[in-house]
Amino acid sequence: SHFVLCFCPHFSLSFSLFSPQLLSSPFILFEEENPEFWRSQARKTLQSTLDRKLNTNVAKNILLFLGDGMGITTYTAAWILKGQLQNQTGEETVMTMDTFPNVGLAKTYSVDFQIPDSAATATAYLCGVKTNLNTIGVSAAARNGVCKTQKGNEVTSILKWAKDAGKSVGIVTTTRVQHATPATSYAHSASRKWYSDADMPDAAKRDGCTDISSQLLNNTDIDVIIGGGRKYMTPRGTKDPEYPRDYSSRGKRKDGRNLINEWQRLKIGKVARYVWNKTDFDAVDPETTDYLMALFEPGDLRFEADRDPSMDPSIVETTEKAIRILQKNPKGFFLLVEGGRIDQAHHDGRAYMALHETVAFDYAIAKGLELTKEHETLTIVTADHSHPVSLNGFPFRGQSILGKSPLWGTDMLPYTTLMYGNGPGHKITNGKRPDLRNVNTKTKDYVQLSAVPTESTTHSGEDVAVLARGPMAHLFQGVQEQNYIAHAMAYAACVGADMRHCQGQTQPPVVHTTFTGDKNGNGGTHGSVTLLMSLLSALLAITLLM
């Protein structure tokens, strides 16, 4: 029975296309040969589904876990790796994410591109509005890099809606806190790249736009800020406390402002802590801390596989600290936790790093569930977009997810189970692929082969999973536009414009237009059309309720 691959008519492959290792015995789980094993498992799953009761409570808390670049293939490969790291075959591993009973899919395209970036997608799932590539916290009427088009087209996020409702709010990320995902929760910018004023063109400054770091202080009063990005907060040339001799780590700001000091002055009268290393972070007492800003690197945090545990906490530790600080608020909290470097590892074509980041992210989700109560906390796990990584080649059960397929190519050379559609791993010499027979593909620095040469892998455009548990988690099912996520979270928690979940169905739905116009109420691009459509929608809603 071990030779079934060789004789299956669907493959129509000659014996020579298989590696010599194919004839070795695959890993066998004997209990799985018994049909009753699968029947019993299915009966238990069926019964648990039948016994499930809808949780229609109002969500006191919202935990949003965002795996940047965590597409379905990454998700699958990560649970295999997680099991294999525990000396299991891996395929049958149950991730924390797998325990979420409600699952849907989100369409990720942006208004102007078939395949999106993290800025456009973050604006969708945080602000409830789809927009253009590279822009954050603005509608699609804004244009990438054009400051003038930003004015009047700003849209706010669920983090602000939660804060306005009296909840505590926080962001935790493994990237810089000014990066696209966390930045969209508090900033409005025609360019995601305007991290500090030094990154902005003079024209944008003259037109009144401000950098993302300054907006971190001025836009929304955020209780917990954890990630990287020190160098965007301090004046040009300021030595970094951790890397004083590294010029690339020094402060970037041209305006001379020290935003860290400004943040501390803004919090006078409150217990506010700024920390940049694990020792000081561990010393922060959540029970007595009102505000925390923790910036552990000049830019993005180190990959989990490279992290120095003595200097930087894990995403599990930062998630725990954030929740313990925020949950003191009797009105609840909103917390965004981003596994941001999953995406960056994929951009480098380094599947090892991407999967280890995803496994660490899953442990953070487990910590979040451990510290909260399901009857009052809506927990969402999703991704912003996917990457062109594929899982292929008929590897044996239990074979390393970072290893090679036993099935070789027609060029008589092996290939890895994980590969990329494009990226830096494209290597053709004299018309041939590299010979991987003596290459260890399981190391953290190995770059998987790719079909097309690009300096960095692009994103990919397939739907991403949306997993939910807690109050109103059943709203997250089916195939939806990505911007639906923000509205469903807000409805569940009674924040933002739609308060029907708290007030019952006696009032018509609130019609919420994302167009703000100028300070005088004049419409900008598409303003009159948007207003007219809003009025018509309101009339229709009232008519249906009569």
Side-chain angles (χ1 to χ4, degrees):
S1 63
H2 298 173
F3 305 103
V4 64
L5 283 178
C6 301
F7 298 103
C8 179
H10 295 293
F11 295 131
S12 300
L13 297 169
S14 68
F15 208 35
S16 63
L17 297 187
F18 294 86
S19 76
Q21 287 76 32
L22 182 62
L23 301 184
S24 61
S25 297
F27 193 100
I28 297 176
L29 296 174
F30 291 104
E31 63 181 357
E32 294 182 1
E33 295 181 349
N34 183 352
E36 186 54 32
F37 170 84
W38 300 105
R39 292 168 182 153
S40 175
Q41 186 184 82
R43 283 195 297 268
K44 291 177 182 177
T45 302
L46 175 61
Q47 194 59 50
S48 67
T49 303
L50 292 170
D51 293 341
R52 189 180 302 158
K53 300 290 191 297
L54 292 184
N55 181 344
T56 58
N57 295 340
V58 172
K60 176 182 176 182
N61 312 310
I62 301 175
L63 264 174
L64 173 58
F65 287 95
L66 192 286
D68 198 314
M70 189 184 70
I72 299 294
T73 302
T74 301
Y75 179 15
T76 303
W79 87 52
I80 295 174
L81 176 65
K82 185 176 183 179
Q84 292 179 344
L85 291 173
Q86 299 168 348
N87 296 318
Q88 301 169 359
T89 55
E91 294 84 0
E92 72 291 338
T93 304
V94 177
M95 295 266 272
T96 302
M97 289 182 263
D98 296 340
T99 66
F100 283 53
N102 297 278
V103 182
L105 293 173
K107 298 181 178 181
T108 65
Y109 67 91
S110 65
V111 170
D112 56 346
F113 277 80
Q114 195 173 81
I115 295 177
D117 74 328
S118 297
T121 52
T123 304
Y125 63 76
L126 289 173
C127 303
V129 176
K130 286 213 172 193
T131 191
N132 298 321
L133 216 68
N134 293 323
T135 63
I136 61 174
V138 291
S139 73
R143 297 293 179 262
N144 178 25
V146 184
C147 172
K148 287 183 178 179
T149 65
Q150 177 182 316
K151 300 300 180 179
N153 293 314
E154 296 90 350
V155 292
T156 56
S157 79
I158 189 170
L159 179 139
K160 178 170 172 51
W161 308 342
K163 188 68 178 185
D164 290 346
K167 298 182 185 294
S168 294
V169 297
I171 53 175
V172 171
T173 181
T174 54
T175 66
R176 69 204 82 172
V177 297
Q178 303 88 352
H179 213 253
T181 300
T184 304
S185 69
Y186 60 83
H188 314 283
S189 182
S191 174
R192 59 176 287 181
K193 298 179 181 179
W194 292 348
Y195 302 125
S196 78
D197 67 317
D199 301 308
M200 299 179 65
D202 291 338
K205 296 176 187 177
R206 287 195 302 269
D207 291 337
C209 286
T210 57
D211 64 277
I212 293 168
S213 293
S214 64
Q215 293 187 57
L216 176 61
L217 271 63
N218 299 331
N219 286 5
T220 304
D221 185 28
I222 304 175
D223 302 270
V224 174
I225 303 165
I226 302 177
R230 291 192 295 253
K231 64 184 179 182
Y232 306 110
M233 306 287 282
T234 56
R236 174 176 286 183
T238 302
K239 291 183 178 180
D240 187 80
E242 190 172 358
Y243 314 105
R245 297 183 179 180
D246 181 11
Y247 283 89
S248 66
S249 298
R250 294 185 176 182
K252 301 294 183 185
R253 302 195 66 82
K254 289 182 176 180
D255 58 11
R257 296 173 64 187
N258 187 316
L259 298 183
I260 296 171
N261 292 343
E262 289 186 24
W263 179 84
Q264 291 173 315
R265 287 196 294 271
L266 287 170
K267 307 307 178 189
I268 291 176
K270 299 288 186 179
V271 180
R273 298 287 306 277
Y274 167 72
V275 300
W276 60 268
N277 60 70
K278 189 174 186 297
T279 299
D280 291 342
F281 177 78
D282 290 343
V284 173
D285 182 1
E287 296 303 317
T288 60
T289 300
D290 300 315
Y291 292 92
L292 172 63
M293 178 184 284
L295 304 178
F296 296 109
E297 290 289 334
D300 301 321
L301 303 192
R302 294 181 179 274
F303 286 116
E304 177 63 21
D306 292 335
R307 181 175 61 86
D308 181 352
S310 68
M311 287 301 296
D312 301 327
S314 67
I315 188 173
V316 175
E317 294 170 297
T318 54
T319 298
E320 177 173 4
K321 186 80 74 173
I323 292 174
R324 291 195 183 279
I325 292 173
L326 298 174
Q327 67 185 1
K328 300 194 302 291
N329 187 337
K331 292 187 177 180
F333 66 84
F334 170 85
L335 176 62
L336 168 65
V337 179
E338 183 199 21
R341 301 220 68 190
I342 301 169
D343 170 78
Q344 293 174 347
H346 275 318
H347 277 302
D348 293 340
R350 300 166 70 186
Y352 178 106
M353 290 300 201
L355 298 190
H356 278 78
E357 290 293 304
T358 308
V359 171
F361 181 64
D362 193 62
Y363 282 120
I365 296 167
K367 179 59 68 174
L369 297 182
E370 174 191 326
L371 294 172
T372 56
K373 299 181 176 71
E374 184 161 347
H375 73 273
E376 65 179 16
T377 303
L378 172 62
T379 303
I380 305 293
V381 178
T382 189
D384 48 358
H385 56 74
S386 184
H387 270 269
V389 60
S390 63
L391 198 164
N392 69 108
F394 295 105
F396 286 123
R397 175 76 177 274
Q399 186 172 326
S400 172
I401 191 64
L402 296 169
K404 304 159 195 168
S405 170
L407 186 69
W408 288 12
T410 55
D411 56 3
M412 302 303 296
L413 292 173
Y415 56 90
T416 52
T417 300
L418 295 173
M419 300 175 69
Y420 289 90
N422 58 45
H426 181 85
K427 297 178 177 67
I428 300 293
T429 304
N430 296 324
K432 286 191 174 183
R433 297 186 297 115
D435 188 345
L436 302 181
R437 281 177 291 183
N438 296 317
V439 176
N440 183 0
T441 63
K442 304 172 189 177
T443 66
K444 66 179 183 178
D445 294 320
Y446 179 73
V447 176
Q448 266 72 18
L449 300 180
S450 66
V452 176
T454 55
E455 290 185 7
S456 170
T457 71
T458 65
H459 297 162
S460 62
E462 68 267 24
D463 296 355
V464 294
V466 184
L467 306 105
R469 61 190 302 167
M472 305 305 290
H474 55 282
L475 295 178
F476 299 88
Q477 57 187 348
V479 181
Q480 309 292 349
E481 294 285 1
Q482 195 170 36
N483 67 298
Y484 168 79
I485 297 171
H487 295 279
M489 288 191 297
Y491 179 88
C494 292
V495 299
D498 191 344
M499 304 295 289
R500 286 176 294 158
H501 187 37
C502 297
Q503 300 170 350
Q505 300 291 333
T506 57
Q507 299 295 322
V510 177
V511 178
H512 178 64
T513 173
T514 59
F515 179 80
T516 58
D518 64 22
K519 63 182 179 181
N520 298 317
N522 299 317
T525 308
H526 309 310
S528 59
V529 175
T530 305
L531 181 59
L532 178 60
M533 292 302 294
S534 298
L535 292 172
L536 290 174
S537 298
L539 289 171
L540 177 61
I542 293 171
T543 302
L544 291 173
L545 288 168
M546 292 178 64

